[in-house]
């Protein structure tokens, strides 16, 4: 069995579960609170806190894990990213109390008290800039620390910045950007386990790749195929298929079917362009997986 450490609560839970389900690895938990659940095949999930996942993977308690890049970096453990999963996007930022009136790091005077759940990254960031700080380690609700009078500055995660603003904090620097990653321990020797993990990586990546794409099918006039090639570049140009039952047996019909993979952002434009070329029976579908 290969054990994959997955977050048991918090922001990464939903999208992680959705991704694994779409990749055909359904969580079959005996209850909502189960620590371990089968994912089908040779995989099982170990549900733990997102912040503990780097340790579990580095120590070998799990063969792989899904957690935030911020937590991976904070752990300082030797881990390798197999896939950037793209969700859980946020930034680790430095924010100062609005009433301090500072807009940049350089404007901070003295030795600020910095509250954070990321002591390692915070120390590294300020040390690299030759700035002295007094670290105020907290375990959550960092943005409250300035209100309690125990910090002047916070280092915290944000995506929209609204929580910081509501709490009278002004963002003054970005330490790093983060997304969820599929990780393994660095420097693993080749084994059947690593091959199974590579298959997992391929499965997850193919689902992620497919999400941004649509499959388009349409019947177009054969005479316009050159123009269709411009509109539907596809992975290797569109697939062109003859349509049966057009006129006499063996005759080449005036219409042909074209199939192509198109980026979902471009789909609106593509349909309009195909219609302009005389396309009929346009069909657009989602793709479950895409392996180029
Ligand atoms: P949590 O939900 O607090 O357990 O956070 C788990 C992880 O979700 C964090 O370590 C980040 O990698 C990620 N995350 C994504 N967006 C945010 C956000 N706006 N604030 C905090 N964490 C976020």
């Amino acid at each position: 069995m290969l054990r994959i450490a997955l977050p048991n609560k918090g922001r990464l839970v939903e999208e992680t579960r959705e991704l694994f389900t779409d990749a055909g690895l359904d969580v079959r938990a005996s209850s909502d609170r189960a620590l371990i659940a089968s994912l089908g095949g040779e995989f099982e999930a170990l549900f733990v806190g997102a912040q503990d996942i780097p340790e579990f993977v580095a120590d070998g308690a799990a063969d792989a894990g899904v957690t935030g890049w911020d937590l991976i970096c904070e752990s300082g453990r030797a881990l390798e990213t197999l896939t950037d999963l793209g969700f859980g996007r946020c930034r680790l930022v430095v924010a100062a109390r609005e009433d301090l009136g500072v807009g940049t790091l350089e404007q901070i005077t003295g030795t600020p008290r910095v509250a954070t759940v990321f002591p390692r990254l915070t120390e590294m960031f300020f040390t690299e800039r030759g700035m002295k700080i007094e670290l105020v380690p907290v375990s959550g609700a960092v943005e409250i620390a300035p209100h309690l009078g125990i910090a002047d500055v916070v280092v915290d995660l944000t995506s929209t910045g609204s929580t910081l603003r509501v709490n009278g904090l002004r963002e003054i620097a970005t330490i790093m950007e983060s997304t969820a990653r599929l990780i393994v321990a660095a420097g693993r020797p080749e084994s059947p386990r690593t091959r199974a993990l590579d298959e997992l990586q391929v499965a997850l990546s193919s689902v992620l790749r497919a999400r941004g794409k649509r499959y388009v099918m349409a019947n177009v006039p054969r005479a316009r195929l050159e123009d269709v090639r411009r509109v539907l570049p596809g992975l290797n140009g569109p697939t062109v298929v003859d349509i049966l039952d057009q006129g006499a047996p063996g005759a080449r019909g005036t219409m042909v079917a074209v199939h192509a993979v198109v980026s979902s952002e471009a789909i609106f434009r593509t349909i309009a362009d195909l219609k302009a070329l005389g396309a009929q029976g346009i069909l657009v579908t989602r793709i479950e997986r895409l392996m180029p």
Side-chain angles (χ1 to χ4, degrees):
M1 272 291 176
L2 265 98
R3 193 167 275 185
I4 319 295
L6 302 179
N8 63 351
K9 56 178 159 44
R11 293 171 202 260
L12 302 178
V13 170
E14 289 280 315
E15 282 177 281
T16 304
R17 185 180 270 243
E18 210 175 286
L19 173 62
F20 274 70
T21 302
D22 288 352
L25 297 168
D26 246 325
V27 176
R28 295 160 211 180
S30 48
S31 82
D32 270 357
R33 309 187 60 178
L35 182 64
I36 292 180
S38 167
L39 288 170
E42 68 247 79
F43 296 104
E44 66 183 11
L46 170 69
F47 292 106
V48 284
Q51 72 284 0
D52 296 328
I53 291 178
E55 297 297 332
F56 282 124
V57 176
D59 291 343
D63 298 287
V66 170
T67 193
W69 180 236
D70 48 279
L71 297 168
I72 298 163
C73 293
E74 176 65 20
S75 78
R77 301 298 302 261
L79 294 160
E80 186 190 322
T81 295
L82 290 186
T83 314
D84 182 340
L85 304 175
F87 59 82
R89 191 171 290 281
C90 58
R91 292 174 301 124
L92 184 65
V93 301
V94 182
R97 255 174 37 212
E98 197 74 67
D99 60 316
L100 289 185
V102 297
T104 64
L105 282 177
E106 294 70 34
Q107 289 169 352
I108 296 179
T109 51
T111 305
R113 296 167 302 165
V114 184
T116 187
V117 292
F118 294 89
R120 204 181 92 87
L121 292 173
T122 300
E123 289 267 39
M124 273 168 53
F125 180 79
F126 284 100
T127 305
E128 273 168 16
R129 282 157 187 78
M131 293 176 69
K132 268 201 162 355
I133 59 161
E134 185 189 319
L135 203 63
V136 182
V138 291
S139 61
V142 181
E143 63 281 0
I144 309 298
H147 294 291
L148 303 177
I150 58 169
D152 319 295
V153 170
V154 302
V155 166
D156 200 8
L157 292 173
T158 180
S159 40
T160 60
S162 61
T163 307
L164 293 175
R165 275 194 300 277
V166 165
N167 284 285
L169 294 161
R170 184 197 295 180
E171 230 181 280
I172 56 172
T174 297
I175 298 182
M176 67 182 296
E177 304 211 340
S178 177
T179 45
R181 310 283 166 103
L182 174 70
I183 50 164
V184 292
R188 326 156 282 156
E190 271 293 320
S191 76
R193 294 179 100 73
T194 55
R195 274 192 290 285
L197 289 173
D198 289 343
E199 284 165 23
L200 173 69
Q201 182 207 347
V202 169
L204 298 182
S205 304
S206 67
V207 169
L208 292 171
R209 204 178 293 118
R211 284 183 180 169
K213 305 283 186 191
R214 296 291 181 270
Y215 197 64
V216 182
M217 293 168 263
N219 297 342
V220 300
R222 192 185 291 276
R224 306 300 302 269
L225 272 180
E226 268 317 304
D227 299 313
V228 169
R229 190 197 294 278
R230 259 190 306 102
V231 173
L232 279 185
L235 285 179
N236 310 298
T239 304
V240 179
V241 190
D242 272 324
I243 303 170
L244 210 61
D245 284 342
Q246 285 192 75
R252 282 160 65 84
T254 54
M255 300 291 277
V256 282
V258 289
H259 294 193
V261 174
V262 173
S263 105
S264 41
E265 290 115 55
I267 200 68
F268 188 83
R269 187 71 260 143
T270 304
I271 292 173
D273 290 347
L274 284 172
K275 279 194 99 49
L277 292 174
Q280 298 167 356
I282 302 172
L283 198 75
V284 181
T285 71
R286 289 179 187 277
I287 306 171
E288 284 195 12
R289 294 208 198 178
L290 187 65
M291 280 160 266

